[in-house]
């Protein structure tokens, strides 16, 4: 009975048990009228498969479905979001302990779909499509330096078409393996002070993040290259239009033309080149490479100038004091001396008086005209010279001394400076301002050749330094020669008499003084003529022609070597006068006449 009552006492507790926990009553007969409480056996609950661990204290949805928060066993991951049958599925947020997190769609426990991911280590942000935890498909990646990539991803790498924008560049085109590959367009930002960008624009093909294959490069300065690239360099056939005007169309090797001009060459038959006063000449210049081959580039700017030997002025002279204010500096030449610029022009020289042919004819025949004048003077003054025969030696000595003093510009009678001889009307005086002629314009090469026609050496400008220095040197030489001991007048008269006796033995004594006087007149006329010609033409002598590459900016950053040529300026060639054809000498006729004259005398 006790056992039965105990059974009934626990009836309420049994009723409160769940259906799964309700005990199964097993009765066994112990003895007559004796019963005991049966053992209670409960069934084990079969747990649903899920990612939840037994020790998790976070709330978890019933049967693993719904919204829940869960911290994984390694304490590194934390997920908060939707669950389906114990798996992350739907929208949720996965947070890593280092600060990286993903917020977006999950599918069967994997990060798949559209979402946003923040990378704590690089501070990059990605928004786009994911596949099994990787960036895959269309998306936008933002970098901490404000750069941005918008395009296609494959397995966490840029692949396919995309647009990459950085503070210095913008690229839109193909990618492969996170590098530019295929056809694309790159635009560089304008020139920066640190030269990290130059403002260029490239449209063409890429391989492994470098320009490779056909493409067009538009440089910021206006230069354009249309051709083939290899490893980011011009390589293969290409056409380059440089901003300076140079055009090169041909083969390229590692960024430079296969045939690159390195020096200039002046085409001339003989050196030094002989030119004449008032006569134009032609200059031809070629652009050569190291193998002396003509390089056919177009548009290279070449300049020609002339120079005269530089004379260092002596200290204390006016030229020495003035030279510091002159900007024109001496130029080194391969001839062992320096030169300063001399005016070179292609403007035809104007003639105010007689024509150029008349002037050249007059210059070439000056000796003949003076000889004729000398003969006339001798015939007219023959009688007067015979009367003064005894006094000619002394007068000759005095005249020579006066001539020397006049050449130096000293007049002993008055002590002042002698007035200069009158200059012909067709010349220009020193007081008049003579404008300098325009210089020869620069020439653009055509197929590697430049040609200048009708080039002249212009008259020297006033106070041209080399000429002034030369005159000062000549004056110093004359003054030093005047400082020599004077010759006794008797000795000089006797020496003159000896010279006259030795040189004029076949000439009458009166003609000696006439010849000497004629020579002095001839010298004066020559000096006067030379002075007039120097105001009209360049002074005879040695000049240097210089040729420089003045292409600006230099083509590919290189300036080719200059060229130099010696010029010998001489007077115009004397024109040969046509000889009057006289009767030819007939020997037979002369013999016949002689025989007739002999026979007549015998008769």
């Amino acid at each position: 009975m006790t056992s039965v009552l105990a059974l009934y006492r626990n009836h309420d507790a049994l009723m409160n048990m769940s259906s799964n926990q309700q005990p199964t009553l097993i009765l066994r007969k112990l003895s007559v009228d004796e019963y005991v409480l049966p053992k209670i056996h409960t069934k084990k609950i079969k747990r649903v498969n899920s990612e939840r661990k037994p020790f998790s204290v976070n709330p978890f949805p019933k049967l693993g479905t719904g919204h829940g928060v869960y911290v994984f066993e390694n304490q590194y991951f934390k997920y908060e979001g939707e669950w389906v049958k114990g798996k992350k599925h739907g929208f949720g947020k996965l947070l890593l302990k280092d600060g990286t997190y993903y917020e977006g769609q999950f599918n069967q426990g994997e990060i798949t779909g559209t979402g946003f991911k923040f990378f704590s280590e690089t501070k990059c942000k990605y928004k786009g499509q994911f596949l099994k935890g990787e960036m895959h498909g269309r998306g936008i990646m933002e970098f901490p330096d404000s750069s941005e990539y918008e395009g296609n991803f494959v397995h966490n790498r840029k692949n396919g078409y995309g647009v990459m924008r950085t503070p210095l560049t913008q690229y839109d085109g193909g990618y492969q393996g996170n590098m530019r590959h295929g056809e694309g367009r790159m635009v560089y930002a304008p020139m920066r002070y640190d030269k990290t960008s130059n403002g260029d624009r490239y449209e063409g093909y890429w391989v492994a993040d470098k320009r490779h294959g056909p493409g067009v490069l538009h440089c910021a300065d206006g230069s354009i290259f249309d051709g083939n690239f290899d490893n980011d360099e011009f390589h293969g056939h290409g056409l380059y239009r440089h901003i300076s005007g140079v055009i090169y169309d041909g083969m390229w090797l590692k960024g430079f033309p296969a045939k690159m001009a390195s020096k200039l060459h002046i085409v001339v038959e003989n050196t030094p080149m002989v030119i004449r006063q008032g006569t134009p000449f032609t200059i031809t210049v070629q652009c050569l490479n190291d193998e002396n081959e003509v390089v056919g580039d177009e548009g290279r700017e070449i300049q020609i100038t002339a120079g005269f030997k530089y004379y260092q002025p002596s200290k204390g002279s006016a030229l020495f004091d003035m030279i510091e204010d002159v900007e024109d500096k001496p130029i080194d030449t391969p001839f062992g001396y320096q030169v300063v610029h001399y005016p070179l022009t292609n403007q035809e020289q104007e003639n105010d008086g007689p024509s150029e042919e008349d002037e050249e004819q007059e210059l070439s025949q000056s000796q003949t005209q003076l000889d004729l004048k000398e003969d006339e003077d001798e015939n007219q003054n023959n009688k007067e010279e015979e009367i003064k025969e005894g006094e000619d030696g002394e007068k000759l000595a005095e005249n020579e001394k006066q001539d020397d003093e006049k050449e130096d510009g000293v007049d002993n009678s008055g002590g002042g400076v002698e007035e200069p001889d009158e200059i012909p009307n067709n010349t220009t005086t020193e007081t008049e301002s003579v404008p300098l002629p325009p210089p020869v314009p620069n020439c653009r090469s055509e197929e590697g050749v430049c040609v200048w026609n009708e080039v002249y050496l212009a008259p020297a400008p006033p106070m041209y330094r080399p000429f002034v220095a030369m005159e000062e040197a000549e004056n110093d030489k004359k003054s030093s020669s005047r400082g020599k001991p004077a010759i006794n007048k008797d000795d000089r008269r006797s020496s003159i008499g000896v010279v006259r006796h030795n040189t004029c033995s076949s000439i009458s004594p009166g003609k000696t003084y006439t010849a000497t006087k004629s020579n002095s007149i001839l010298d004066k006329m020559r000096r006067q003529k030379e002075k007039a010609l120097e105001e009209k033409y360049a002074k005879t002598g040695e000049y240097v022609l210089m040729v420089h590459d003045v292409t600006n900016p230099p083509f590919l950053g290189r300036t080719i070597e200059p060229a130099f040529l010696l010029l010998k300026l001489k007077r115009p060639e004397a024109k040969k006068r046509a000889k009057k054809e006289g009767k030819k000498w007939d020997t037979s006729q002369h013999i016949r006449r002689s025989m007739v004259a002999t026979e007549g005398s015998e008769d």
Side-chain angles (χ1 to χ4, degrees), residues 190-191 198-201 217-225 240-245 552-557:
M191 178 68 72
N198 53 14
D200 295 348
R201 185 176 79 254
L217 177 64
H218 299 264
C219 301
D221 61 0
S223 303
I224 300 176
F225 176 82
Y240 192 29
R241 300 178 182 273
H242 195 253
I243 184 61
S244 63
N552 187 29
F555 181 60
L556 299 179

Side-chain angles (χ1 to χ4, degrees), residues 42-46:
T42 59
K43 295 181 178 179
K44 293 183 178 180
I45 300 174
K46 186 177 181 181

Side-chain angles (χ1 to χ4, degrees), residues 170-197:
Q170 176 175 330
Y171 172 81
D172 58 293
Y175 277 89
Q176 181 176 332
N178 242 10
M179 294 188 293
R180 295 182 288 268
H181 191 90
E183 189 173 2
R185 178 175 179 266
M186 173 71 84
V187 178
Y188 298 88
M191 178 68 72
R192 290 168 53 99
Y193 69 94
D194 54 1
K195 298 183 179 180
T196 54
S197 182

Side-chain angles (χ1 to χ4, degrees), residues 227-273:
N228 199 67
F229 287 80
D230 184 7
N231 196 26
D232 250 354
E233 295 178 330
F234 304 155
H235 193 84
H237 186 273
L239 171 63
Y240 192 29
R241 300 178 182 273
H242 195 253
I243 184 61
S244 63
V246 178
I247 300 175
Y248 179 83
D249 187 3
M251 295 299 297
W252 295 74
L253 296 175
K254 296 189 179 299
F256 294 96
K259 289 185 177 181
M260 182 73 174
S262 60
K263 57 185 176 182
L264 296 172
H265 172 67
I266 304 174
V267 180
V268 63
E269 295 181 358
N270 299 316
T271 55
M273 181 179 178

Side-chain angles (χ1 to χ4, degrees), residues 68-85:
V69 179
Y70 179 71
V71 177
F72 288 78
E73 183 178 1
N74 56 12
Q75 303 292 315
Y76 191 79
F77 299 95
K78 178 182 178 181
Y79 174 76
E80 179 181 357
E82 297 179 352
W83 298 78
V84 173
K85 294 183 180 181

